[in-house]
């Protein structure tokens, strides 16, 4: 089970931090987002060893991190733009399945 928090309304240029608490330790976790009328896309992923990958559109602005003691993954989002408006989903990769959180809405106003 994944429980997300931290979404909300922010002005362009602002910051938000999303949190995703898992019920157990999971090596590979990520954040995805889905904007209205668009497909769900990968935003960032973090691996058990701490390695990370990012979508080109968020590189240099977003940072994914984890607190293994709390089984929690974070997404720090800076320099937000209206194009970042979407429902953000936490995902846990438990092969062969992906476990999804309920989603949290991020709205960036111009």
């Amino acid at each position: 089970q994944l429980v997300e928090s931290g979404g909300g309304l922010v002005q362009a240029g602002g910051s938000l931090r999303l949190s995703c608490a898992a019920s157990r330790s999971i090596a590979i976790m990520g954040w995805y987002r889905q904007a209205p009328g668009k497909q769900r896309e990968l935003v960032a992923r973090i691996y058990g060893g701490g390695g990370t990958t990012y979508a080109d559109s968020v590189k240099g602005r977003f940072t994914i991190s984890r607190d293994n003691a709390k089984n929690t993954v974070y997404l720090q989002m800076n320099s937000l733009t209206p194009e970042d408006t979407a429902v953000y989903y936490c995902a846990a990769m438990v092969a062969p399945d992906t476990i999804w959180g309920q989603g949290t809405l991020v709205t960036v106003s111009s």
Side-chain angles (χ1 to χ4, degrees):
Q1 181 183 5
L2 303 174
V3 179
E4 301 155 349
S5 61
L9 174 64
V10 64
Q11 288 188 332
S15 298
L16 282 175
R17 188 176 81 154
L18 305 182
S19 299
C20 173
S23 56
R24 60 184 178 94
S25 175
I26 300 172
I28 303 175
M29 297 188 69
W31 288 95
Y32 289 71
R33 67 185 181 187
Q34 187 166 18
K38 295 187 177 181
Q39 290 188 328
R40 191 173 298 188
E41 63 175 359
L42 175 67
V43 175
R45 184 179 290 144
I46 188 165
Y47 299 88
T52 58
T53 59
Y54 294 93
D56 288 343
S57 59
V58 307
K59 283 181 181 177
R61 300 188 299 122
F62 290 11
T63 303
I64 189 170
S65 62
R66 66 193 306 160
D67 183 335
N68 290 327
K70 297 180 179 179
N71 295 332
T72 300
V73 173
Y74 305 97
L75 184 68
Q76 177 67 43
M77 305 185 293
N78 299 328
S79 302
L80 286 161
T81 73
E83 289 67 38
D84 296 314
T85 294
V87 177
Y88 284 71
Y89 296 91
C90 179
M93 289 64 174
V94 184
D97 300 319
T98 298
I99 302 170
W100 296 98
Q102 79 279 7
T104 185
L105 178 62
V106 172
T107 303
V108 184
S109 63
S110 57

